[in-house]
Structure formats: C-alpha cells, structure tokens
Amino acid sequence: MSLKRTALIGAAVSVLFASGCESLRDAVDVMRKPEVRIAATELQALSFSGLTLLFDVEVENPNPIGIQLSGFDYELQIEGNPFLSGEVRDKVAITARDRSIIPLPVELGFEEVVQAIGELAPGEDKEEAAYQLTSGFSFDLLVLGRVRVPVQTEGTFPILRVPRLEILKLSLEEISLSGASLALDLELSNRNSFKIFVESLEYRFQVDGRDWASGMRRERVRIPEKGSAGLRIPIELDFQALGRGLYQMILGGERFRYTFKADVDVGTSLRTLQEVSLPFELTGQLRVQR
C-alpha cells in the first residue's frame, strides 16, 4: 500500500471516528459516490455567427463530510459524430449533504457546425442540429479515493445563417455637365426560417479609391422567411470635385472597381435574437447602366 493511500485512509479514519464511526468498515459504508445530473440546459447566447449552450450540472453530496470536485471532462457530438472535447481542472468544494450547481458553457460557431454537417450529409441545408453531451465528473473522496461519475444529455439547437448582401446594379438617373444622379440597388437575402427587419444601414461606397457616397439609410424593411428585399441608395456626384473625366466614364459605360462597406442593423422575429449589427464588405467591378 502506497504512502499516499495509507495517509488517505488514516485521515479518513480520524475524521470518521470523530463523527462516531468505530471501524474502517463503517467508514467505507458511510462514504458514497456523489450524484450528478444535468439540471437545466439554456441557450445562453445566440448570434448569426454562433451560440453558447449553458449546461447546469447539479452535484449532490450525500456524505456527512465535505468533498471536492477535482475536475471534469466532456465530449460534444453533433449529428452522432464527435465535434469537440475538453477537460477542465477547476476544483470545487461541496459541503456535507449539500447540492451545488456547476455551470458548463459550450460555445459553437455556425461556420464550423455547417462545415461538419456538410461533410456528413453533402447538400443538406439543415436548420437545426442534434447534439449529445457526455461528461465525467471526478471527485477525490476519503477512503474511496478518486472516482468519476458520468453524466449525459442530448437535444437540438438552431442553425442560423448570415443574410447575404448583393449589389444588383448602378443606374444613371440624371446627368448634366456639373454632376450626375445615380441609384445603387442592393438586395438583402434572408436564408433563415424566421423574419428579418432592416432597421438602418450605414454605408460607404468607393470607386477607384474615391468616395462616391456615404451616409445612413433609416427605413424599416421587412424580409420574410427565405425571402429577399431590395434597398436603394441615391448617389449624387459633383464633377467639379471628382474630376471632369468622370462624365465620359459614366457615359462611355466603362467598368470600374468598387468597394462597398455597410453596417446593417437588423431585428428578427426570434425571441432569443432581437437586434444585431451585421458588417458587410463587397468588392468587384461595375458599370453605370443607362
């Protein structure tokens, strides 16, 4: 018998004798494994990029003396396949005949989840995924030593997809020798099975590195489930400020490089995701349509 084991039993005997136990057999009979269960599962945070699942693990100590949780391990499976695993070595003291809640948060990124599901079922556009959490909680107990108590739970979580923003066209509304009026037509597509409401759009539109338009568009636009909506941004150009060559560029139908940056504030019909700001940056080539 090792010195460590001998010391552990000796400490157990001392403590348990003090509480009325008369033999080592009594001590072994008194010590019991803790009971562990998943008391609650909460969708703690949700965004278009990912979510956080919070598992409240209840640990009950049935023993007449305090015990210590030495750590726990966990594995999360998605659609029946391993997705992530880990180990936590935080120590928690649990008093005699008491219960404690150990929070276990798990963060998931939708990009990684969708990629993993796509590898399992190519072409399947799932709106939710099934998960299974398996965990083992380790305790250092007098007399019994190190014990591991397993626990498991399962459920589903939603998969959100970031709306898609596209530039449809840049149209010429009016032109003169001093300037031009244009319209930039955008389309915001909702790839989810819930409604989206555009509250505002802050934008900056550059052509060949020069600012053509910037500002804030405040107009509530409703986008239905799996639907899309058009957004129009008016552009006023001053040829004196931007250069006279712009006049020929517009009339000649030349293609030019653009950068469009936007922060779109949207609300949703989901109770767990009320409002969020989505950044977009689009680059490419355009020509003015007449």
Side-chain angles (χ1 to χ4, degrees):
M1 183 178 294
S2 68
L3 291 176
K4 184 176 180 182
R5 180 68 172 171
T6 303
L8 183 62
I9 293 178
V13 171
S14 298
V15 172
L16 294 173
F17 270 149
S19 63
C21 294
E22 297 180 351
S23 67
L24 183 58
R25 182 181 299 276
D26 293 336
V28 174
D29 289 340
V30 168
M31 293 303 295
R32 293 161 50 195
K33 287 184 179 182
E35 297 178 9
V36 182
R37 70 182 186 92
I38 305 295
T41 302
E42 177 187 354
L43 183 58
Q44 188 181 45
L46 179 65
S47 70
F48 280 104
S49 59
L51 57 79
T52 300
L53 290 172
L54 179 62
F55 301 94
D56 284 338
V57 183
E58 182 183 84
V59 179
E60 181 177 358
N61 176 17
N63 297 293
I65 59 174
I67 62 174
Q68 179 172 267
L69 170 68
S70 58
F72 60 89
D73 58 85
Y74 64 90
E75 180 186 71
L76 184 74
Q77 292 188 352
I78 294 181
E79 297 295 325
N81 287 266
F83 184 75
L84 61 85
S85 61
E87 197 171 3
V88 177
R89 288 303 177 193
D90 294 341
K91 298 183 182 299
V92 179
I94 303 172
T95 56
R97 295 192 175 95
D98 197 7
R99 298 180 182 181
S100 292
I101 297 295
I102 311 298
L104 174 55
V106 177
E107 296 183 359
L108 300 173
F110 288 135
E111 185 175 343
E112 293 81 7
V113 170
V114 170
Q115 181 179 353
I117 293 176
E119 293 173 354
L120 300 173
E124 188 173 352
D125 192 14
K126 295 179 71 68
E127 296 180 1
E128 68 174 17
Y131 70 84
Q132 183 181 79
L133 176 71
T134 302
S135 183
F137 285 74
S138 298
F139 301 88
D140 289 320
L141 303 179
L142 293 175
V143 180
L144 299 181
R146 174 68 60 88
V147 297
R148 179 182 180 274
V149 181
V151 66
Q152 182 175 290
T153 188
E154 59 186 27
T156 61
F157 61 83
I159 298 176
L160 274 58
R161 288 172 171 80
V162 179
R164 182 181 291 117
L165 183 65
E166 296 179 279
I167 292 181
L168 298 181
K169 62 179 179 178
L170 180 61
S171 304
L172 176 63
E173 302 284 300
E174 188 177 337
I175 190 168
S176 68
L177 293 176
S178 60
S181 297
L182 308 174
L184 183 66
D185 288 313
L186 312 172
E187 183 179 70
L188 190 64
S189 300
N190 177 14
R191 301 185 290 163
N192 301 283
S193 295
F194 53 83
K195 300 180 183 65
I196 288 179
F197 307 95
V198 178
E199 305 292 349
S200 66
L201 183 150
E202 186 176 6
Y203 61 88
R204 184 180 184 185
F205 183 58
Q206 292 181 313
V207 173
D208 293 333
R210 295 182 296 177
D211 285 337
W212 274 28
S214 62
M216 176 75 77
R217 183 186 187 278
R218 296 186 183 276
E219 180 184 350
R220 200 168 199 262
V221 178
R222 176 182 177 275
I223 306 178
E225 304 90 335
K226 302 288 186 179
S228 60
L231 306 170
R232 170 164 284 200
I233 295 176
I235 299 175
E236 297 293 332
L237 300 180
D238 184 346
F239 293 153
Q240 184 175 357
L242 294 173
R244 301 289 302 180
L246 191 57
Y247 179 89
Q248 293 298 330
M249 178 181 173
I250 292 175
L251 292 182
E254 298 180 26
R255 297 184 68 86
F256 49 81
R257 296 196 60 81
Y258 73 87
T259 299
F260 181 80
K261 296 180 180 180
D263 288 312
V264 185
D265 291 334
V266 302
T268 78
S269 58
L270 290 180
R271 180 181 57 83
T272 50
L273 182 61
Q274 294 297 308
E275 189 169 325
V276 65
S277 182
L278 301 175
F280 294 94
E281 181 172 347
L282 307 177
T283 59
Q285 291 188 338
L286 276 176
R287 64 162 55 96
V288 177
Q289 298 184 21
R290 300 174 59 186

